[in-house]
Amino acid sequence: MSISQNLSHFKSHIPEHVCLIAVSKTKPNHLILEAYNAGQRHFGENYIQELVDKSESLPKDIFWHAIGHLQSNKVKYIAPFVHLIHGVDSLKLLQEINKQAIKNKRIINCLLQIYIAKEGTKFGLSPEECENIILSEKFRELQNINIVGLMGMASNTNDEKIVNTEFASLNNLFLRLNNELTKTHNLNLEHLSMGMSSDYKIAIANGSTLIRIGSSIFGERDYNQTN
Ligand SMILES: *Cc1c(COP(=O)(O)O)cnc(C)c1O
């Protein structure tokens, strides 16, 4: 199937309130343009240099999502243009994003990444750490960031029960924070970023509003091939 066929397949199968982010990491510009020409506007990238290069050479009306783990010293490169930063996992990183947002006279949208997987390799905050950040005095001082939701990745397993439990736990945290803290703590929680090619259906069933799909749109990634 072609990229445009893959995209229209997704469009017809996901609810209208769910935004499809095409994850284009390692994929060359001509394939991204193929998706663009089929109407796709939201793209996600993990690696900062690649994200910057692509944003410079591709159409300016693309919404770029930084979905990977982000180091503080890289924030300045994406601050001028990034649409949404998904993987925010520390107060220090939020402070740096705020600083770079001020320099660029922007408000930068962020998601707090929550650790939900059983396996030990994924980044993210515990629910408690997340709440402590939101409740902190230092967080209140950050005027140029907008926390618009939470992000999480489930365990890489074929056991759908485990994946379902993990996504449900993130949705519960999302709902609880929305009930308890949104009005009083300068939060604007609208989005839950969860679900990839292998588990997006389970994610949507658990309240996801942003799905990050790579291989089911562009095909498998080949990390040995340089573009
Ligand atoms: C690569 C990646 C994706 C897309 O994964 P696929 O399995 O190719 O759909 C989604 N989210 C993050 C954070 C990723 O790094």
Side-chain angles (χ1 to χ4, degrees):
M1 289 235 283
S2 70
I3 288 173
S4 74
Q5 283 172 321
N6 291 339
L7 285 169
S8 56
H9 175 81
F10 270 98
K11 293 268 161 59
S12 61
H13 281 81
I14 63 176
E16 223 167 294
H17 71 276
V18 175
C19 173
L20 172 64
I21 300 168
V23 176
S24 47
K25 62 185 179 210
T26 79
K27 298 296 176 182
N29 285 352
H30 74 92
L31 294 184
I32 298 176
L33 276 174
E34 206 174 314
Y36 178 89
N37 289 331
Q40 181 66 25
R41 289 296 178 273
H42 290 263
F43 290 87
E45 290 280 341
N46 290 54
Y47 311 107
I48 297 308
Q49 189 58 52
E50 189 178 353
L51 174 52
V52 171
D53 290 346
K54 286 175 173 174
S55 77
E56 283 169 359
S57 49
L58 287 161
K60 297 301 169 209
D61 61 342
I62 287 179
F63 298 102
W64 290 105
H65 296 250
I67 64 171
H69 184 248
L70 180 60
Q71 291 170 299
S72 295
N73 60 359
K74 301 275 175 68
V75 173
K76 56 177 176 286
Y77 302 115
I78 58 170
F81 68 90
V82 70
H83 175 65
L84 178 61
I85 299 176
H86 289 235
V88 179
D89 61 356
S90 72
L91 182 61
K92 178 174 162 263
L93 184 54
L94 279 174
Q95 289 169 324
E96 177 62 17
I97 296 168
N98 187 66
K99 185 175 139 193
Q100 298 300 333
I102 292 170
K103 277 193 186 165
N104 287 278
K105 300 192 173 63
R106 296 187 70 205
I107 307 279
I108 296 184
N109 295 325
C110 300
L111 305 176
L112 294 174
Q113 182 171 0
I114 310 299
Y115 177 87
I116 54 172
K118 292 240 167 3
E119 48 188 60
T121 56
K122 305 248 163 87
F123 295 102
L125 301 157
S126 70
E128 197 186 358
E129 288 168 331
C130 170
E131 223 168 314
N132 286 342
I133 287 177
I134 293 165
L135 294 172
S136 71
E137 202 50 50
K138 289 193 166 123
F139 175 73
R140 266 175 200 276
E141 295 165 5
L142 307 178
Q143 296 296 318
N144 283 56
I145 53 165
N146 191 14
I147 304 290
V148 297
L150 304 178
M151 181 266 204
M153 292 171 81
S155 293
N156 184 12
T157 169
N158 292 326
D159 189 335
E160 297 198 348
K161 262 195 194 146
I162 293 178
V163 173
N164 192 64
T165 304
E166 292 171 353
F167 283 151
S169 75
L170 186 53
N171 191 29
N172 282 338
L173 177 67
F174 177 77
L175 296 173
R176 191 166 63 76
L177 294 180
N178 248 331
N179 276 333
E180 295 174 4
L181 300 179
T182 291
K183 294 207 180 67
T184 44
H185 288 81
N186 203 13
L187 290 177
N188 194 12
L189 298 184
E190 305 171 46
H191 288 295
L192 249 187
S193 170
M194 52 185 200
M196 327 195 337
S197 293
S198 59
D199 57 16
Y200 75 90
K201 285 181 186 155
I202 307 173
I204 290 173
N206 283 288
S208 175
T209 66
L210 296 170
I211 55 172
R212 309 176 310 269
I213 308 292
S215 45
S216 291
I217 294 172
F218 294 106
E220 293 301 323
R221 283 176 295 276
D222 182 356
Y223 285 98
N224 297 317
Q225 195 180 56
T226 47
N227 300 323

